[in-house]
C-alpha cells in the first residue's frame, strides 16, 4: 500500500508538472539561484552594479525609460561600458517611452557604439499593430546574471521624499543559473521583432557553461501577443491551488473566466486573497478594478487595497511552494496583447519568502468588506474584526444627509482603526462616468460637429492609407513569387 501511495503521489506530481509546462509553454529549469528584490532602490542598485561589472554584453528591455536622474544614471553606465568595448543593446517601448524620453536621449550611447531599438512605433500597413506593446522589464549581463521585474527606469518609482510621497511598492528577482540563457533568448526574440537579429558577435557567444548555481527550479514564461501562455498558467494555478492563493496586481481587471476560476477555488476552501492599489497612477483602471470587487467578495475572496503611494508589483504565491514574479498584470492587455516576461518558481524557500512579504504588505493595506445586511446569503458571510457601522435613521431632509455624512466619517475612521473598509456602490461610478461622457459627446456633436467629424475623418484616413499599403505589399509579394519559383 505504501509503495502504491508513493507511486500515485509521484504520478500526480509528474502530471502536474506536465500540465504546467504545457499550459505555460515553458519547461521546468533546475539548478538556479534566485534572490527576491523589493522596491526600486534595491533594483536600481543591483542593476547598476551588474552593468558596471559587465565584461562582454549587456541587454536591457524596459517598457519605460525616462529622461530623469535614474534614466540618465543608467545611460551613463551603459555609455561607459560601450566605450570599454562591451556590446550594449537596449529595447524601449514606443508607447511607454512616449513623453518620457526623446530619440535624442540615446545619441550619446549610439555614438559610444551601443545599440538602441524602439519596439513597435506606428507604421504604415499595420492598422492595429500599435496595440501590441513590449511591457517587459529585463536586464541580463554576460549570460551570467539576469533580472526581471515590474520596475521601470524612472525616478517615479522612488517616490518623492520632499513631499512625503513614499516609494512605489514593486517586486522583482535576480537569477543566476541556466535560466539566464532563456531570458537572453527572449531578449533576442524581442530584438529581432524590432529589426535585424542580433549579430554574430563573439561577445554574445556563450563562454560559460550552464552550471547549476543553486537548487531552485523555475519556468521562464516569455509571452508574445496572442499566445496567452501566462493566462493559461494563471488559470491552471487557480485550479490546482489547495490551501492558499495570494495575488498582488497593479492593474487588475478581472475577466469572467479567471474570476470564475478564483471563485471556484475560494468556494473549495482555498484562501484566495487579492492585493491591489488603493491609489493608482491610472485612475480609470482603478475604477474598473473596483467595479469588479463585488463578485469576488461574494465568492469569499478577500480583497485588500494598498495604503501607500502606488502598488506596482505583479506576484502570486500558492500553497507556500509555488510563486510567480514578473511584468504580467491580471488583465487582457498583459494576457493577450503585450510582450511580457515572468518567472514561475517551484521552491518552498522562495515561496515562503514571498508569502512572508505578502503578509508584511497586508500590514499596510485596508481590507474591503461587503456592506452589512440584515440577512446575508451563505456566500456573503465574511468574518471581520471591524465593528458593524451604525445605521442612519431615515429622518429625511438635511438630517438624513448629515447622518449619511456621519456614516461616511465613521466608516473612514473605522477603516483607519481596523484596516477594513465597507464596499460601497462601486458599480455606479463607471455608469455615471459613461453617462456624463455620452452627454458631453452629444452636446459637442450638436453644437460643434466639426470637433467630432475631424477625428473620425483622421481615423478613416489612417485605415484607408494602411489598408492601401497592405494591399500594395501583398500585390508586390505575389508578383515576386513566380520569379522566385523560376529561380529555384
Amino acid at each position: 500500500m505504501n509503495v502504491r501511495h508513493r507511486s500515485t503521489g509521484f504520478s500526480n506530481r509528474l502530471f502536474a508538472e506536465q500540465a504546467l509546462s504545457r499550459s505555460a509553454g515553458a519547461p521546468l529549469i533546475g539548478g538556479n539561484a534566485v534572490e527576491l528584490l523589493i522596491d526600486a532602490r534595491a533594483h536600481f542598485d543591483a542593476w547598476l552594479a551588474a552593468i558596471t561589472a559587465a565584461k562582454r554584453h549587456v541587454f536591457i528591455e524596459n517598457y519605460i525609460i525616462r529622461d530623469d536622474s535614474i534614466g540618465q544614471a543608467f545611460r551613463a553606465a551603459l555609455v561607459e561600458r560601450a566605450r570599454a568595448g562591451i556590446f550594449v543593446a537596449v529595447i524601449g517601448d514606443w508607447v511607454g517611452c512616449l513623453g518620457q524620453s526623446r530619440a535624442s536621449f540615446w545619441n550619446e550611447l549610439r555614438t559610444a557604439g551601443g545599440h538602441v531599438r524602439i519596439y513597435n512605433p506606428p507604421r504604415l500597413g499595420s492598422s492595429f499593430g500599435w496595440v501590441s506593446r513590449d511591457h517587459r522589464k529585463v536586464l541580463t549581463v554576460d549570460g551570467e546574471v539576469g533580472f526581471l521585474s515590474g520596475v521601470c527606469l524612472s525616478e517615479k518609482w522612488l517616490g518623492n521624499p520632499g513631499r512625503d510621497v513614499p516609494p512605489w511598492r514593486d517586486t522583482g528577482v535576480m537569477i543566476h543559473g541556466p535560466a539566464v540563457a532563456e531570458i537572453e533568448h527572449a531578449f533576442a526574440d524581442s530584438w529581432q521583432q524590432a529589426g535585424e537579429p542580433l549579430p554574430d558577435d563573439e561577445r554574445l557567444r556563450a563562454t560559460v557553461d550552464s552550471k547549476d548555481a543553486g537548487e531552485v527550479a523555475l519556468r521562464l514564461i516569455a509571452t508574445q501577443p496572442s499566445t496567452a501562455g501566462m493566462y493559461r498558467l494563471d488559470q491552471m494555478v487557480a485550479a490546482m491551488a489547495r490551501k492558499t492563493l495570494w495575488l498582488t496586481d497593479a492593474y487588475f481587471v478581472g475577466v469572467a473566466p479567471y474570476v470564475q476560476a478564483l471563485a471556484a477555488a475560494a468556494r473549495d476552501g482555498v484562501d484566495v486573497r487579492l492585493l491591489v492599489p488603493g491609489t493608482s497612477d491610472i485612475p480609470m483602471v482603478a475604477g474598473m478594478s473596483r467595479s469588479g470587487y463585488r463578485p469576488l467578495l461574494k465568492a469569499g475572496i478577500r480583497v485588500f487595497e494598498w495604503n501607500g503611494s502606488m502598488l506596482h508589483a505583479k506576484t502570486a504565491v500558492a500553497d507556500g511552494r509555488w510563486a510567480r514574479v514578473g511584468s504580467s498584470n491580471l488583465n487582457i492587455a498583459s494576457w493577450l496583447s503585450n510582450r511580457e516576461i515572468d518567472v514561475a518558481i517551484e521552491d518552498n524557500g522562495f515561496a515562503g519568502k514571498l508569502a512572508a512579504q505578502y503578509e508584511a504588505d497586508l500590514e499596510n493595506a485596508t481590507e474591503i468588506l461587503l456592506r452589512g445586511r440584515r440577512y446575508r446569503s451563505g456566500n456573503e458571510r465574511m468574518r471581520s474584526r471591524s465593528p458593524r457601522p451604525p445605521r442612519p435613521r431615515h429622518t429625511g431632509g438635511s438630517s438624513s444627509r448629515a447622518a449619511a455624512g456621519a456614516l461616511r466619517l465613521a466608516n473612514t475612521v473605522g477603516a483607519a482603526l481596523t484596516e477594513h473598509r465597507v464596499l460601497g456602490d462601486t458599480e455606479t461610478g463607471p455608469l455615471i462616468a459613461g453617462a456624463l461622457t455620452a452627454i458631453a459627446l452629444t452636446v459637442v456633436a450638436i453644437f460643434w460637429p466639426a470637433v467630432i467629424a475631424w477625428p473620425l475623418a483622421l481615423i478613416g484616413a489612417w485605415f484607408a492609407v494602411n489598408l492601401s499599403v497592405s494591399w500594395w505589399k501583398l500585390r508586390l509579394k505575389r508578383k515576386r513569387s513566380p520569379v522566385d519559383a523560376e529561380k529555384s
Side-chain angles (χ1 to χ4, degrees):
M1 289 296 292
N2 290 334
V3 174
R4 181 180 298 177
H5 179 74
R6 287 195 297 268
S7 176
T8 301
F10 181 70
S11 298
N12 288 339
R13 286 196 299 273
L14 287 178
F15 180 78
E17 180 178 336
Q18 185 182 70
L20 290 172
S21 295
R22 290 182 178 178
S23 62
L28 191 65
I29 305 170
N32 302 282
V34 182
E35 180 179 339
L36 188 63
L37 297 177
I38 301 298
D39 293 346
R41 177 51 64 193
H43 283 78
F44 295 154
D45 290 346
W47 290 355
L48 286 171
I51 292 171
T52 302
K55 297 183 175 120
R56 296 167 48 244
H57 65 261
V58 176
F59 296 156
I60 289 184
E61 183 176 2
N62 208 296
Y63 180 63
I64 296 175
I65 304 174
R66 192 178 184 188
D67 187 1
D68 59 17
S69 62
I70 294 300
Q72 292 162 15
F74 275 87
R75 181 184 60 185
L78 294 172
V79 167
E80 189 278 328
R81 289 290 80 195
R83 287 175 178 164
I86 308 302
F87 186 96
V88 176
V90 178
I91 303 174
D93 184 78
W94 185 81
V95 169
C97 294
L98 186 64
Q100 307 293 324
S101 55
R102 299 181 179 180
S104 59
F105 175 77
W106 297 110
N107 288 347
E108 187 179 1
L109 179 58
R110 289 190 171 103
T111 302
H115 308 269
V116 180
R117 287 183 180 173
I118 302 301
Y119 179 79
N120 202 17
R123 60 189 184 277
L124 295 177
S126 180
S127 300
F128 292 101
W130 58 272
V131 174
S132 171
R133 307 306 342 149
D134 188 346
H135 195 245
R136 299 175 180 177
K137 293 90 177 177
V138 164
L139 165 66
T140 67
V141 175
D142 295 342
E144 297 179 0
V145 59
F147 302 84
L148 56 90
S149 171
V151 176
C152 294
L153 295 182
S154 168
E155 64 185 14
K156 184 164 58 173
W157 264 252
L158 297 176
N160 190 336
R163 296 184 179 180
D164 291 329
V165 178
W168 285 21
R169 174 68 189 85
D170 219 327
T171 304
V173 293
M174 176 170 63
I175 301 173
H176 291 86
V180 177
E182 294 302 313
I183 302 175
E184 294 203 334
H185 290 158
F187 176 89
D189 181 71
S190 294
W191 187 261
Q192 186 170 352
Q193 288 297 315
E196 294 297 319
L198 287 169
D200 183 13
D201 191 306
E202 62 179 6
R203 293 171 295 179
L204 305 183
R205 296 171 189 164
T207 58
V208 294
D209 53 13
S210 56
K211 292 181 179 178
D212 290 354
E215 299 179 351
V216 177
L218 58 84
R219 304 175 198 278
L220 186 81
I221 305 104
T223 56
Q224 303 172 11
S226 303
T227 56
M230 196 67 247
Y231 174 72
R232 292 195 301 270
L233 183 65
D234 284 333
Q235 286 272 32
M236 185 67 65
V237 170
M240 296 176 67
R242 294 184 176 183
K243 296 179 181 179
T244 60
L245 178 56
W246 296 349
L247 308 167
T248 303
D249 200 69
Y251 307 108
F252 175 80
V253 181
V255 296
Y258 187 63
V259 171
Q260 290 166 5
L262 295 180
R267 285 192 291 266
D268 228 12
V270 179
D271 176 13
V272 183
R273 304 182 188 184
L274 175 65
L275 176 61
V276 293
T279 302
S280 177
D281 62 327
I282 308 178
M284 182 181 69
V285 176
M288 296 172 65
S289 182
R290 288 192 177 103
S291 67
Y293 285 175
R294 192 170 298 278
L296 299 174
L297 295 173
K298 285 184 175 181
I301 298 167
R302 301 180 69 184
V303 178
F304 300 83
E305 286 189 349
W306 173 255
N307 295 329
S309 58
M310 175 61 188
L311 175 77
H312 197 258
K314 308 97 168 45
T315 69
V317 57
D319 294 340
R321 69 173 309 273
W322 182 93
R324 174 177 67 82
V325 178
S327 66
S328 294
N329 291 295
L330 301 174
N331 59 41
I332 287 293
S334 282
W335 281 327
L336 295 178
S337 179
N338 296 340
R339 299 181 75 84
E340 306 277 4
I341 190 163
D342 298 77
V343 59
I345 299 171
E346 299 184 17
D347 179 77
N348 293 342
F350 182 86
K353 291 179 181 178
L354 193 60
Q357 180 62 47
Y358 193 93
E359 292 181 322
D361 289 340
L362 293 187
E363 295 296 321
N364 189 38
T366 298
E367 184 169 7
I368 309 302
L369 303 176
L370 285 170
R371 184 180 298 277
R373 298 179 183 175
R374 185 177 299 273
Y375 301 103
R376 285 186 171 185
S377 65
N379 287 338
E380 291 183 17
R381 294 192 187 99
M382 297 186 65
R383 296 179 180 177
S384 168
R385 298 193 308 268
S386 61
R388 180 172 295 181
R391 293 175 179 265
R393 295 181 180 178
H394 300 285
T395 54
S398 60
S399 60
S400 175
R401 291 193 294 273
L407 175 61
R408 285 193 295 272
L409 180 60
N411 283 338
T412 302
V413 174
L417 294 176
T418 65
E419 298 181 351
H420 292 79
R421 180 167 64 81
V422 175
L423 179 66
D425 292 329
T426 54
E427 294 88 346
T428 60
L431 292 176
I432 293 174
L436 292 176
T437 302
I439 291 171
L441 289 174
T442 302
V443 172
V444 170
I446 292 174
F447 293 100
W448 301 282
V451 176
I452 302 294
W454 277 109
L456 291 176
L458 290 174
I459 293 173
W462 168 259
F463 280 103
V465 171
N466 276 280
L467 291 173
S468 299
V469 170
S470 298
W471 170 81
W472 181 254
K473 288 181 177 179
L474 182 61
R475 186 169 180 268
L476 291 178
K477 184 178 179 180
R478 288 180 176 176
K479 281 186 175 182
R480 291 194 196 101
S481 56
V483 177
D484 296 338
E486 291 177 3
K487 290 181 179 180
S488 61

